[in-house]
Amino acid sequence: MSEIPRLEDLEARVGDLSGKRVLVRTDFNVPLDDEGNITDDFRIRAALPTIEWLTERGANVVTASHLGRPKGEPDPKYSMEPVRVRLAELAPGVELLENLRFNAGETANDPAFVAELVDGIDAYVNDAFGASHRSHASIVGPPQHVPSAMGRLLEKEVDVLLGLRNKPKHPFVAVLGGAKISDKLGVIEALLETVDAIVIGGAMCFTFFAAQGKPIGSSLHEPDMIDTCRDLLAKATEMGKTIHLPDDITGTDASGNFAQFGSRLGEGSIGYDIGPGSAAAFTDVIMDARMVFWNGPMGMFEDERFASGTRTVAQAMADTKAFTVVGGGDSAAALAQFKLDDEVSHVSTGGGASLELLENGDLPGLAALRKN
Ligand code: 3PG
Ligand code: MG
């Protein structure tokens, strides 16, 4: 993606950056606890290389981000204050605007809001990989008005994810979990073109079980997606690709007690995790791969009783010699919880954005920079 301007291109175009006001769109959408404390500052730290590159050159950096999903008006619950405090510790003297989504113009991509954002700004840098799949004002607007470039984080994310998509090393395995197949359908279809195998865990697997005619008890599933799962299984077979589904499940029985099952769950039983046999089998697939992309936990890992499938897969990601990429969100949080986040090749700061980039090979935020 050489056609997207980098920071060096921006400097060449604008000239001396000293004293220039540079708007940096970051993804500071960090998890907060009930008291409003940041529980993981990964996304703030990830923006530092770009911020430091600019401040070293004397630029006046103005950062801007959304936080949560406020409804287009100020909401104290989503104030940027905790982020401002942490940012001041990590990068003193860097400005941070108030939550972009306090203005309805942000998600609506209102030109008037874009004009407000670029007022007095000499250059724009997009380093908000996690939000670059959104056609929001702060993502797609500024490049139409001021010289623009991608920051270091965005550049790294794009390099790694497009590398998976366009230059796969085989065996290339995608490990997908989470609750909803509907969220991942597009990416599964796109991945089937490049991967050798897809490993499926999480509640998603019950929709596949239902498609295979297996009883799933009262497990979470998407009835609307059963036919789609049946089609995906058929399509994979046709393409000579393997879809690995769990063949044992951990959960609760009809009385609510912890229980182990095969891949058939009786009435009233609920599956919450892949079983130990499946976790071991999935480990083998990951160990034998040369490239692995993982998105979505294997089970309800927040509950220690149902964490072992996700922990085993996370450990396999750490142990394999494969090039390993973890797509943001819950799987990144799981990896951090198991203290394995330094053991994989790349942890993406974007959940939805990484899936969409793998699916489409492009993002609205990248297209906007390319046109700049
Ligand atoms: C994320 O957390 O995935 C990004 O910050 C995007 O947030 P959004 O899904 O609310 O647009
Ligand atoms: Mg490794």
Side-chain angles (χ1 to χ4, degrees), residues 315-324 343-345:
Q315 189 63 54
M317 290 293 285
D319 291 342
T320 181
K321 292 203 162 50
F323 182 76
T324 44
E343 310 291 324
V344 296
S345 310

Short mmCIF file of all heavy atoms in Angstrom, two decimals, residues 315-324 343-345, ligand 2:
data_model
loop_
_atom_site.label_atom_id
_atom_site.label_comp_id
_atom_site.label_asym_id
_atom_site.label_seq_id
_atom_site.Cartn_x
_atom_site.Cartn_y
_atom_site.Cartn_z
N GLN A 315 -2.19 -20.07 24.54
CA GLN A 315 -0.86 -20.66 24.78
C GLN A 315 -0.29 -21.25 23.49
O GLN A 315 0.91 -21.11 23.22
CB GLN A 315 -0.98 -21.75 25.87
CG GLN A 315 0.36 -22.27 26.36
CD GLN A 315 1.21 -21.18 27.04
OE1 GLN A 315 0.75 -20.53 27.97
NE2 GLN A 315 2.44 -20.98 26.57
N ALA A 316 -1.14 -21.86 22.68
CA ALA A 316 -0.69 -22.41 21.40
C ALA A 316 -0.21 -21.28 20.48
O ALA A 316 0.79 -21.41 19.78
CB ALA A 316 -1.81 -23.20 20.73
N MET A 317 -0.92 -20.15 20.51
CA MET A 317 -0.51 -18.98 19.72
C MET A 317 0.89 -18.53 20.15
O MET A 317 1.70 -18.11 19.33
CB MET A 317 -1.50 -17.83 19.91
CG MET A 317 -2.86 -18.04 19.28
SD MET A 317 -2.82 -18.09 17.47
CE MET A 317 -2.60 -16.37 17.04
N ALA A 318 1.14 -18.60 21.46
CA ALA A 318 2.45 -18.21 21.99
C ALA A 318 3.53 -19.23 21.63
O ALA A 318 4.67 -18.87 21.33
CB ALA A 318 2.36 -18.04 23.51
N ASP A 319 3.17 -20.51 21.64
CA ASP A 319 4.17 -21.58 21.48
C ASP A 319 4.54 -21.87 20.02
O ASP A 319 5.64 -22.32 19.74
CB ASP A 319 3.66 -22.88 22.11
CG ASP A 319 3.61 -22.78 23.63
OD1 ASP A 319 4.26 -21.88 24.19
OD2 ASP A 319 2.90 -23.59 24.26
N THR A 320 3.60 -21.64 19.11
CA THR A 320 3.86 -22.02 17.72
C THR A 320 4.97 -21.17 17.13
O THR A 320 5.19 -20.02 17.54
CB THR A 320 2.58 -21.89 16.85
OG1 THR A 320 2.89 -22.29 15.52
CG2 THR A 320 2.05 -20.47 16.84
N LYS A 321 5.65 -21.73 16.13
CA LYS A 321 6.67 -20.96 15.42
C LYS A 321 6.03 -20.15 14.30
O LYS A 321 6.71 -19.39 13.62
CB LYS A 321 7.72 -21.90 14.85
CG LYS A 321 8.56 -22.56 15.93
CD LYS A 321 9.91 -23.01 15.37
CE LYS A 321 10.92 -23.28 16.46
NZ LYS A 321 10.41 -24.15 17.53
N ALA A 322 4.75 -20.32 14.11
CA ALA A 322 4.04 -19.59 13.05
C ALA A 322 4.07 -18.09 13.30
O ALA A 322 4.27 -17.64 14.44
CB ALA A 322 2.59 -20.07 12.97
N PHE A 323 3.85 -17.32 12.23
CA PHE A 323 3.64 -15.88 12.36
C PHE A 323 2.21 -15.72 12.87
O PHE A 323 1.27 -16.19 12.24
CB PHE A 323 3.82 -15.22 10.99
CG PHE A 323 3.67 -13.72 11.03
CD1 PHE A 323 4.67 -12.91 11.54
CD2 PHE A 323 2.50 -13.13 10.56
CE1 PHE A 323 4.52 -11.53 11.58
CE2 PHE A 323 2.34 -11.74 10.59
CZ PHE A 323 3.36 -10.95 11.10
N THR A 324 2.07 -15.10 14.05
CA THR A 324 0.77 -15.09 14.72
C THR A 324 0.20 -13.68 14.88
O THR A 324 0.89 -12.78 15.36
CB THR A 324 0.89 -15.73 16.12
OG1 THR A 324 2.08 -15.21 16.75
CG2 THR A 324 0.96 -17.23 16.05
N GLU A 343 3.90 -12.57 23.45
CA GLU A 343 4.38 -13.84 22.88
C GLU A 343 3.87 -14.10 21.46
O GLU A 343 4.15 -15.14 20.89
CB GLU A 343 3.96 -15.01 23.77
CG GLU A 343 4.29 -14.85 25.24
CD GLU A 343 5.79 -14.92 25.52
OE1 GLU A 343 6.46 -15.70 24.83
OE2 GLU A 343 6.27 -14.17 26.38
N VAL A 344 3.08 -13.19 20.92
CA VAL A 344 2.60 -13.38 19.54
C VAL A 344 3.27 -12.33 18.66
O VAL A 344 3.85 -11.36 19.15
CB VAL A 344 1.06 -13.29 19.45
CG1 VAL A 344 0.41 -14.41 20.24
CG2 VAL A 344 0.55 -11.93 19.91
N SER A 345 3.20 -12.55 17.34
CA SER A 345 3.90 -11.65 16.43
C SER A 345 3.28 -10.27 16.40
O SER A 345 3.96 -9.26 16.36
CB SER A 345 3.92 -12.24 15.02
OG SER A 345 4.37 -13.58 15.04
MG MG B 2 5.37 -17.72 18.87
#
